[in-house]
Amino acid sequence: METEVRNRKGTNKSPKVNRKQDVQDLSDDEMLKKSIQKLKEINDTDRDSVIISGDTVVRNYTGDGESAPDTPPPEMAAEDDAPIKPSTQAISHSSVPTDTLSKDKPPLELSLRLDGMSISLFLLAFITRVWRLESPRGIVFDELHYGKYAGLYMQNTFFFDSQPPLGKQLVSLAAYIAGFDGNFKFDRIGSPYDSLVPVAAMRMVPAFFGSLMMPTIYNLLVELGLSHYAGALAAFLMIFDNALLAQSRFILMESIFMFFGLFGLLCILKFRRLYDRPYSLPWFSCLCVAALSLSAAVCVRYFGLFTFALGCGILAKDFWGMVGDRSVSDRQLLGHFFTRAAIFCTIPLSLYIGTFYVHLSLLYKAGPNDNIMTSAFQASLEGGLQAIIANQPVQVVHGSQITLRHTHGRTCWLHSHDIMYPVKYADGRGSSHQQQVTCYSYKDVNNWWIVKKPENEELVVGEPMEPIKNGDIIQIVHGLTSRALNSHDVAAAVSPHNQEVACYVDYNVSMPAQNLWHVEILNPELTDGMWHAVESQVRLIHVNSTQALKFSGRQLPDWGFRQHEIVSDKVIDQEDTVWNVEEHRYTRTEDKKEREREMIRQEMIPTERKNLTFWNKLYELQYKMIFNNQENVAGHMYASDPLDWLTLKRGVAYWISTNSNAQVHFLGNIVTWLSGTIGLVGYLGLFIVYLLRRQRACYDLSEAVWDKYCTIGEVLCVGFAIHYFPYFLVDRTLFLHHYMPAYIFKLCLLAAMVEHGHYLLSNYLGAPRLAQAYLLIVGLWMCSILYVFAYFIPVTYGTSELTSEQVLSMAWKETWDLIIHKQ
């Protein structure tokens, strides 16, 4: 016992006591009781010096470094199994200076850790993307659209685009800060920019987000368990790919969309590492930021839904693993499920709705795309249709003059003219030879009709006025020809499975008039069952045949002036049978000539109108965005198929100078492009081999390496698949830039396969010399990537004015053939 006390170094050196005498005088039980009492006193007086971690109590000593350890040295435990003296392990509060305690634990402490590799990758990418950012100073490819949208934002003018507005809003914000007034007209690709257009500021947004992708990719691969070198290699492949560079240098949306998607996946992978720290601040932060970033990708382009689905799939797999964890109770499982579901529902919906709220709040003036929207939507905009219908009467009555607009799908108005259907059609079928009725896509005086009671001969509004209600039977008379809308058992001109619709002409033959129509109001609750202009959506059901008046969507031949066909269809419940009154006024004169003059003058009667709510406008805009795709340009010379993307068969000419051979082409680095395809095939081949051998109990990889290999496939290979294969199902014109999201996942998989190849040589085969030779080959391969990148720089930046000799020289012949002649 004496030896033990001498060997232990005390920390309380003042005052000195005779510990040997104390040990001799006290029995072991008394010493233990005294030590416990001492510990209680210390716990009461010096709580700040105790750190509790789980079930372990750790003392935070701030003495002279001579304190006895919590666990006795081996030589102490060996002597007579002497008990540990807790009194020698504690330090009294009086032995530590007060100023030392206050210095060790400041009230507020901030730490900053910088990742040198991430910063370096960002700076390198940023430099390549902002170098001579204003060049070329002309409209490059889809800058024609996105620049125009930014200008319309500046002027609060409504426009229609089939993609969400977040990316366009970010570009517009940069333009607004730079002082853009929106007066520049983005009329055609190649047009030079005005000196007042802040080209660099607008292009800076995609350039900045395109640069942020590099550190994001680097950290994403590190989170997947790959080395920092593999992460840096993936970023290197992206920095020096000509296609990704070109897509990040101009006013385009892909770099913004891809960054948000990749950053969201990175946050989800970091969230998975916090499995043992649920509901902590980092746990909540990663989950919320992941939901915010992934939903931001959707708010830039709807194709971000696939990235969002990938993130949700990773979370679902993580939760499924938690279900098998017996240490997690049922209540905790439900809590985790509802927490994740709530965050991934509320944050995306809030951001999506908020983005459109800003969009619709800013764009309150009538614009060039108004006719795509319904009459009610147009009426809510300042100017345009609002100016036309602001003073028109609301309630449709017997004797009203109206224009009937096709509500959904293509914008057109019910139309007729004093021309008959041909006696026989091209296929030999006979027609009724009645007056043509069509759907015309432009405002015209022949779009006006008069509704009236069948028993009334007059075409004027009587006194008192008789409102038309849901279920009424009416006749619809063409305004200028005074012939009634009619349908009969004659096959339609272009859609022979439907009935023809015409204006009845009495030829004194056995074909009586069938011109009665039943009014079916689809939203009677809004108008108390009355037929209102603009607001009411109606179907007109032919009384004799019980078929609905329908826009068939087909175009008539030259004899029908290439206008669209109107038929009656026995399938009533469909969107092409929905109509609404757009323009409306009351007929006040029975004189036909005077009525015609009134229609031409389009005089209105003052009445106040109501605007649509935000939710009504949002619903309609969503509907139109889904079913009105404006991006489908048939037969484009630079269109390509998904199979062409794997081998970079066809690029896209983005810009060609009007006064020189300077040009910008969207063309990838052929080395990385083909290497990525080989890496993808290699991963799948190895995966099948490993899987078959494991089924035969041949374990080539350790469990840790195999799990990492599978995780890489779950994120990167699946990521490539869900961003690539859906394009095989898309019925629209496709271009090479649609491949960019899938291409990024392919490059990441390529970097992972490069590292896996080195692992097989150095660890599995145990051949260090082969591994060194492999690294040398990888280095040469990277040099070839740099060479091809530099080779294509003139057509990536578009800053070099090429002479005809340079274009036709042997050095450029292969490039020119690839990007021009093979188109």
Side-chain angles (χ1 to χ4, degrees):
M1 183 67 70
E2 180 181 358
T3 304
E4 174 191 346
V5 174
R6 285 189 183 132
N7 285 341
R8 303 179 88 176
K9 296 182 180 181
T11 59
N12 192 355
K13 297 184 179 181
S14 178
K16 295 182 180 180
V17 294
N18 190 341
R19 296 183 180 276
K20 180 177 180 180
Q21 185 64 34
D22 291 342
V23 172
Q24 291 175 348
D25 293 344
L26 297 175
S27 64
D28 288 346
D29 292 340
E30 292 175 342
M31 181 176 291
L32 183 58
K33 292 179 181 179
K34 196 170 184 179
S35 300
I36 293 173
Q37 183 63 31
K38 185 73 173 178
L39 283 174
K40 290 181 179 179
E41 293 175 0
I42 293 173
N43 189 47
D44 293 336
T45 58
D46 194 17
R47 292 181 184 273
D48 292 339
S49 66
V50 180
I51 302 173
I52 301 177
S53 176
D55 297 329
T56 306
V57 178
V58 182
R59 298 289 170 185
N60 186 20
Y61 296 109
T62 55
D64 58 3
E66 300 278 331
S67 304
D70 290 333
T71 304
E75 61 270 18
M76 294 168 52
E79 264 188 44
D80 304 324
D81 293 324
I84 300 173
K85 307 293 188 296
S87 60
T88 63
Q89 299 176 16
I91 192 166
S92 81
H93 183 72
S94 61
S95 66
V96 182
T98 307
D99 59 343
T100 305
L101 286 173
S102 63
K103 288 181 180 178
D104 287 344
K105 291 200 62 133
L108 179 63
E109 183 177 2
L110 298 175
S111 61
L112 178 65
R113 186 176 70 88
L114 298 178
D115 187 340
M117 180 64 78
S118 296
I119 295 174
S120 301
L121 291 172
F122 170 77
L123 292 176
L124 180 59
F126 190 70
I127 291 171
T128 59
R129 277 144 181 78
V130 301
W131 181 72
R132 299 187 66 177
L133 192 59
E134 285 198 5
S135 297
R137 197 170 177 83
I139 300 175
V140 177
F141 195 53
D142 276 349
E143 285 187 339
L144 175 71
H145 303 296
Y146 299 120
K148 182 185 298 182
Y149 296 151
L152 293 172
Y153 268 120
M154 298 302 105
Q155 298 180 336
N156 305 112
T157 302
F158 178 79
F159 64 86
F160 178 83
D161 183 46
S162 59
Q163 296 294 334
L166 180 58
K168 297 180 279 289
Q169 289 173 352
L170 293 173
V171 172
S172 301
L173 178 61
Y176 174 77
I177 294 173
F180 183 44
D181 57 8
N183 288 325
F184 179 78
K185 304 301 179 186
F186 292 78
D187 50 1
R188 62 182 179 85
I189 296 175
S191 296
Y193 281 115
D194 188 273
S195 59
L196 299 178
V197 179
V199 180
M202 297 170 73
R203 290 177 177 172
M204 181 61 71
V205 176
F208 176 73
F209 283 103
S211 303
L212 284 177
M213 279 198 296
M214 311 314 164
T216 302
I217 283 293
Y218 162 73
N219 284 281
L220 191 146
L221 291 193
V222 172
E223 286 296 324
L224 284 174
L226 296 169
S227 67
H228 294 272
Y229 297 105
L233 175 61
F236 170 86
L237 297 177
M238 290 175 57
I239 291 173
F240 295 105
D241 185 87
N242 302 77
L244 287 171
L245 174 61
Q247 206 68 11
S248 302
R249 276 180 50 83
F250 304 110
I251 310 173
L252 306 171
M253 297 293 106
E254 275 70 25
S255 60
I256 305 174
F257 147 66
M258 290 186 292
F259 164 74
F260 282 129
L262 293 170
F263 188 72
L265 293 178
L266 173 61
C267 292
I268 286 181
L269 294 178
K270 286 185 175 294
F271 169 80
R272 296 179 69 187
R273 287 182 174 269
L274 300 170
Y275 180 88
D276 296 327
R277 299 172 58 190
Y279 302 106
S280 62
L281 180 60
W283 188 90
F284 266 115
S285 300
C286 287
L287 191 61
C288 292
V289 174
L292 185 67
S293 187
L294 289 173
S295 55
V298 179
C299 291
V300 175
R301 292 190 70 86
Y302 279 129
F303 205 71
L305 285 169
F306 294 104
T307 314
F308 191 92
L310 177 60
C312 291
I314 297 172
L315 283 179
K317 183 177 183 296
D318 179 69
F319 181 77
W320 183 249
M322 184 181 293
V323 172
D325 188 350
R326 300 290 295 175
S327 65
V328 181
S329 66
D330 293 344
R331 179 178 297 180
Q332 289 172 325
L333 278 176
L334 287 175
H336 276 281
F337 175 80
F338 285 113
T339 300
R340 300 178 192 202
I343 289 175
F344 264 75
C345 288
T346 55
I347 291 180
L349 281 176
S350 300
L351 179 63
Y352 188 79
I353 293 174
T355 301
F356 276 96
Y357 182 81
V358 173
H359 180 73
L360 292 172
S361 298
L362 290 176
L363 307 181
Y364 57 85
K365 297 180 180 179
N369 304 134
D370 293 357
N371 58 358
I372 294 176
M373 312 307 293
T374 63
S375 302
F377 192 101
Q378 293 181 65
S380 68
L381 300 174
E382 181 182 305
L385 181 62
Q386 185 194 44
I388 297 174
I389 69 172
N391 296 322
Q392 73 182 18
V394 174
Q395 198 166 66
V396 180
V397 301
H398 291 284
S400 287
Q401 296 178 21
I402 62 173
T403 62
L404 278 169
R405 172 187 160 130
H406 180 232
T407 301
H408 302 298
R410 185 179 182 88
T411 301
C412 62
W413 291 265
L414 190 67
H415 177 95
S416 185
H417 39 246
D418 196 11
I419 303 294
M420 308 304 165
Y421 286 109
V423 176
K424 285 193 175 183
Y425 298 125
D427 58 1
R429 290 184 296 114
S431 77
S432 64
H433 198 49
Q434 300 281 312
Q435 181 173 305
Q436 294 179 15
V437 173
T438 66
C439 204
Y440 192 44
S441 299
Y442 302 94
K443 298 283 187 176
D444 189 86
V445 69
N446 278 309
N447 297 344
W448 284 93
W449 301 79
I450 301 174
V451 294
K452 73 178 189 70
K453 274 187 173 182
E455 59 269 20
N456 288 354
E457 294 297 329
E458 299 81 9
L459 298 177
V460 297
V461 175
E463 293 293 341
M465 291 187 296
E466 299 180 75
I468 298 178
K469 303 182 295 296
N470 186 27
D472 283 358
I473 304 296
I474 62 171
Q475 286 181 326
I476 306 174
V477 179
H478 187 241
L480 294 187
T481 63
S482 299
R483 288 170 176 159
L485 189 69
N486 192 80
S487 184
H488 34 232
D489 189 16
V490 175
V494 186
S495 305
H497 54 284
N498 296 128
Q499 280 191 181
E500 179 188 87
V501 173
C503 282
Y504 182 73
V505 180
D506 189 1
Y507 290 119
N508 292 319
V509 295
S510 57
M511 185 176 285
Q514 299 180 15
N515 53 20
L516 300 181
W517 299 86
H518 173 267
V519 177
E520 180 183 322
I521 302 177
L522 304 183
N523 51 351
E525 67 282 354
L526 296 180
T527 59
D528 296 327
M530 302 297 179
W531 189 3
H532 282 190
V534 179
E535 295 173 317
S536 296
Q537 296 182 2
V538 302
R539 285 193 176 101
L540 298 172
I541 312 298
H542 188 236
V543 172
N544 297 83
S545 63
T546 67
Q547 298 192 18
L549 186 72
K550 175 189 173 183
F551 165 77
S552 73
R554 300 191 175 186
Q555 202 167 29
L556 296 172
D558 290 338
W559 54 257
F561 306 100
R562 313 298 296 179
Q563 297 174 17
H564 288 85
E565 183 188 41
I566 293 294
V567 298
S568 63
D569 195 334
K570 61 184 177 181
V571 181
I572 295 175
D573 189 12
Q574 53 180 309
E575 291 177 348
D576 283 329
T577 61
V578 180
W579 302 83
N580 67 272
V581 171
E582 184 169 274
E583 297 178 64
H584 174 223
R585 58 177 172 266
Y586 293 150
T587 308
R588 297 298 185 179
T589 178
E590 296 183 12
D591 184 76
K592 182 179 178 182
K593 297 295 183 182
E594 183 61 28
R595 282 203 312 269
E596 292 177 3
R597 286 193 291 270
E598 285 183 357
M599 290 178 184
I600 295 172
R601 289 196 302 266
Q602 299 184 9
E603 295 174 351
M604 304 301 173
I605 299 175
T607 305
E608 185 178 354
R609 297 209 50 81
K610 296 180 180 179
N611 288 332
L612 285 180
T613 66
F614 163 73
W615 298 106
N616 294 134
K617 294 170 73 174
L618 178 64
Y619 172 78
E620 181 179 334
L621 186 58
Q622 294 301 296
Y623 179 89
K624 295 291 184 179
M625 290 171 70
I626 295 172
F627 294 102
N628 284 272
N629 189 355
Q630 291 185 322
E631 298 181 359
N632 194 14
V633 182
H636 197 284
M637 65 181 299
Y638 293 112
S640 55
D641 296 324
L643 288 178
D644 297 336
W645 301 342
L646 296 175
T647 55
L648 195 61
K649 183 178 180 181
R650 176 170 296 178
V652 182
Y654 271 11
W655 173 82
I656 298 177
S657 174
T658 56
N659 51 22
S660 71
N661 282 322
Q663 49 202 277
V664 174
H665 283 270
F666 180 70
L667 192 66
N669 190 315
I670 189 65
V671 177
T672 58
W673 215 276
L674 297 180
S675 299
T677 302
I678 294 171
L680 177 65
V681 174
Y683 176 87
L684 294 175
L686 274 179
F687 179 79
I688 294 172
V689 170
Y690 288 149
L691 201 61
L692 291 175
R693 286 181 58 80
R694 289 177 74 85
Q695 190 68 16
R696 302 282 294 175
C698 299
Y699 300 98
D700 303 298
L701 305 177
S702 65
E703 286 302 316
V705 176
W706 171 247
D707 288 343
K708 183 174 75 172
Y709 192 85
C710 292
T711 302
I712 290 169
E714 290 169 358
V715 177
L716 302 181
C717 198
V718 172
F720 170 83
I722 66 175
H723 288 86
Y724 175 67
F725 289 109
Y727 280 117
F728 286 94
L729 307 176
V730 173
D731 183 21
R732 54 163 293 181
T733 303
L734 298 175
F735 299 94
L736 184 62
H737 63 79
H738 291 116
Y739 182 57
M740 289 296 97
Y743 178 58
I744 287 179
F745 283 97
K746 189 171 75 169
L747 289 184
C748 294
L749 189 64
L750 174 61
M753 288 304 297
V754 170
E755 179 178 283
H756 188 70
H758 183 263
Y759 167 82
L760 291 179
L761 292 175
S762 59
N763 293 72
Y764 180 71
L765 296 179
R769 291 187 177 180
L770 284 178
Q772 292 177 356
Y774 176 81
L775 292 179
L776 179 61
I777 294 173
V778 170
L780 295 174
W781 171 67
M782 294 173 67
C783 291
S784 68
I785 292 173
L786 290 175
Y787 173 78
V788 174
F789 172 77
Y791 186 70
F792 283 99
I793 275 181
V795 292
T796 302
Y797 286 93
T799 56
S800 302
E801 297 185 1
L802 307 176
T803 64
S804 57
E805 290 76 13
Q806 286 177 308
V807 172
L808 297 175
S809 65
M810 292 302 295
W812 281 93
K813 186 176 186 303
E814 181 181 354
T815 305
W816 188 258
D817 287 343
L818 179 62
I819 63 180
I820 297 295
H821 295 311
K822 288 188 177 181
Q823 305 305 330

